Amino acid sequence: MTNVVREKVTVASLEENQTIPWYRSWGPGAIVAACIIGPGTVTTVSVAGAQFGFQVAWILVLACLVGYFIQRPVINWTVATGTSVLEGIRDEISSLWSKLIFFGLWLGALAFQAGNFIGASMAMNLIFPSVPMLAWVSLLSVSAMGIAWFGVYKVLENINRIVMIMLVLTFCLTALAALPNAGATINQGFTFSIPQGDLLIVLALIATILVPNTLVALSGFMKDKYRHSAYTKEQIRSISVNDLKINFTLLAIISIAILLSSAAAFYGSGQTINSAGDMAVQLTPILGSFATIFFAIGLWTAGFSSGLFNLTVQPMLFGHAFNQSESPDAPVNRIILIVTGLIPIALVWAFGGSPIELIISAQAINGLLLPVLTVVLYRLTNKKDRMGRFHNSASSNIITLFIIGLVTLLAIRVFISFF
């Protein structure tokens, strides 16, 4: 009885007297945001800046808003039920659906892991060119496996807080170096025009922010963080929403900084870039060696953090989808971690570089999976008997339906590209 009373007093004191500091809001969202800013996002945004200039900045802001609003119902579900959305899909909709979604996400992650560590290795190769890139891939992948092996949530959260700070600093410093060349490009950013009427650039930039596995991972990390928390449900929702706002704001800042650097350096010059590694090299004669070093550090951070995310999240998602242990020490979770870490190394060694065909296939899987996942999440988070007072509002449902329409257009485009 004494323990129960003490718990109630603790909750009451938090509810009535304590203002929660902003930095306590910075948690699971940082892990998700650090995953989104991977080499693929850096490359996509860099190429967009070189081709279209700063006029696509508004699309990046729209993409971050889409990412934010699609996650709000996910937060509500986890707060209301104390379970992740993948567990909800398993228990409330179909265990088959949860398993299919897991395998779809895992297949995409295996191919993208190669791209993550190739991107990080490109950056290390720029700074230390004497070390072979394949050696960097192996070293970085094994290092990430070592961190993920211990599976301590607090360690992962703190690492990704540092990652987000590094990404903001490195890419913003690169953008500052580009500012003297920016001129009128900044004024073009919010004309709300679609370059050459090309709807595909809108879909591509939204797709690079709306990563499928982050839609189910956020709730899992929330469950982990607040499993034994004394906060009330309303406080947890408030903290989690602030967390989401902070990290998607940082995500927008980082993306726009990358876009500005690329637009100022390359737009209208006739030069083309095919990867973030190309951009880092070509920045040197234009913006100087320091900008290139900053960009390389940012690229390494983006690749390593995304790789670490995929290694950490797969065992957790497996446990949620199959109703198995979530403990990182469970034998099956150890196997999933090892496979997720070693297969990308094998692919890179076998292909001698980034296996482009596999990464394209992974992008296709993600593009086709997004509408399925968003529809399933929409159905799940509208179960009022489970959501209670945290059920979706009418405006939230309208926004979600709009997002479902956008990702369906993306899926149709991906499907057409097969023929």
Side-chain angles (χ1 to χ4, degrees):
M1 178 64 72
T2 304
N3 290 336
V4 174
V5 172
R6 184 178 296 127
E7 183 178 11
K8 288 182 178 178
V9 170
T10 304
V11 172
S13 64
L14 285 170
E15 189 173 15
E16 294 170 8
N17 302 321
Q18 182 175 331
T19 300
I20 302 172
W22 71 269
Y23 56 83
R24 289 194 181 176
S25 302
W26 201 14
I31 302 173
V32 167
C35 163
I36 293 172
I37 295 290
T41 298
V42 175
T43 298
T44 300
V45 175
S46 298
V47 172
Q51 291 181 348
F52 302 108
F54 201 62
Q55 59 187 313
V56 295
W58 71 272
I59 303 175
L60 286 174
V61 174
L62 173 64
C64 289
L65 286 172
V66 166
Y68 168 78
F69 280 109
I70 199 65
Q71 292 279 21
R72 283 291 299 268
V74 169
I75 288 175
N76 289 341
W77 170 269
T78 304
V79 170
T81 67
T83 63
S84 73
V85 290
L86 199 53
E87 288 175 304
I89 293 169
R90 182 196 74 209
D91 296 336
E92 300 290 331
I93 296 178
S94 166
S95 62
L96 177 61
W97 272 111
S98 68
K99 293 169 184 175
L100 290 174
I101 288 171
F102 168 78
F103 279 117
L105 294 174
W106 194 33
L107 287 174
L110 288 174
F112 273 124
Q113 279 295 79
N116 287 331
F117 290 119
I118 279 286
S121 299
M122 283 179 180
M124 297 303 293
N125 197 244
L126 288 168
I127 301 173
F128 304 103
S130 61
V131 180
M133 195 162 66
L134 292 177
W136 280 122
V137 169
S138 303
L139 178 62
L140 292 172
S141 184
V142 171
S143 299
M145 285 174 61
I147 296 172
W149 186 265
F150 295 100
V152 179
Y153 171 81
K154 195 63 182 176
V155 172
L156 183 66
E157 180 181 272
N158 288 334
I159 287 173
N160 281 281
R161 285 178 175 178
I162 296 169
V163 163
M164 290 304 293
I165 293 170
M166 287 181 64
L167 288 171
V168 170
L169 288 176
T170 52
F171 287 126
C172 284
L173 286 170
T174 307
L176 285 174
L179 278 176
N181 300 331
T185 59
I186 295 177
N187 296 326
Q188 301 170 357
F190 296 93
T191 57
F192 301 103
S193 60
I194 298 175
Q196 303 169 13
D198 188 359
L199 185 62
L200 292 182
I201 187 62
V202 179
L203 296 176
L205 290 174
I206 289 176
T208 199
I209 299 296
L210 202 60
V211 181
N213 58 7
T214 63
L215 299 183
V216 295
L218 177 65
S219 63
F221 289 128
M222 276 183 60
K223 176 186 170 184
D224 233 8
K225 182 179 177 69
Y226 299 114
R227 191 189 305 269
H228 304 297
S229 174
Y231 291 135
T232 64
K233 287 188 174 185
E234 285 76 10
Q235 285 175 319
I236 293 173
R237 179 167 69 169
S238 176
I239 292 171
S240 299
V241 169
N242 285 337
D243 179 31
L244 206 61
K245 288 178 181 176
I246 290 169
N247 286 289
F248 271 93
T249 299
L250 293 176
L251 195 57
I253 291 170
I254 294 166
S255 301
I256 289 174
I258 297 169
L259 184 75
L260 179 60
S261 303
S262 179
F266 302 114
Y267 181 58
S269 68
Q271 297 185 65
T272 59
I273 56 175
N274 298 311
S275 71
D278 290 345
M279 181 170 171
V281 172
Q282 293 182 38
L283 277 173
T284 302
I286 301 169
L287 302 180
S289 58
F290 281 111
T292 303
I293 291 171
F294 289 141
F295 192 90
I297 293 172
L299 179 59
W300 174 84
T301 307
F304 188 77
S305 64
S306 293
L308 178 60
F309 171 89
N310 277 320
L311 283 169
T312 306
V313 80
Q314 301 308 322
M316 178 183 72
L317 295 183
F318 175 83
H320 294 173
F322 287 81
N323 198 20
Q324 298 294 316
S325 171
E326 298 172 39
S327 170
D329 297 328
V332 67
N333 289 340
R334 291 300 196 199
I335 292 171
I336 291 171
L337 174 61
I338 292 169
V339 171
T340 306
L342 293 183
I343 283 183
I345 297 177
L347 290 174
V348 172
W349 278 89
F351 284 83
S354 181
I356 299 299
E357 294 83 1
L358 286 173
I359 294 174
I360 291 173
S361 298
Q363 290 171 331
I365 291 171
N366 281 354
L368 294 173
L369 192 58
L370 265 175
V372 175
L373 187 55
T374 51
V375 168
V376 172
L377 288 176
Y378 177 80
R379 181 182 167 192
L380 178 69
T381 56
N382 274 285
K383 288 182 173 290
K384 292 186 178 180
D385 59 323
R386 295 301 311 278
M387 298 288 283
R389 65 186 183 277
F390 298 103
H391 68 83
N392 295 342
S393 64
S395 59
S396 175
N397 279 336
I398 291 170
I399 292 171
T400 303
L401 289 172
F402 169 75
I403 294 171
I404 290 172
L406 276 178
V407 298
T408 301
L409 284 175
L410 172 64
I412 291 171
R413 177 65 185 88
V414 170
F415 183 77
I416 292 173
S417 68
F418 288 150
F419 300 98

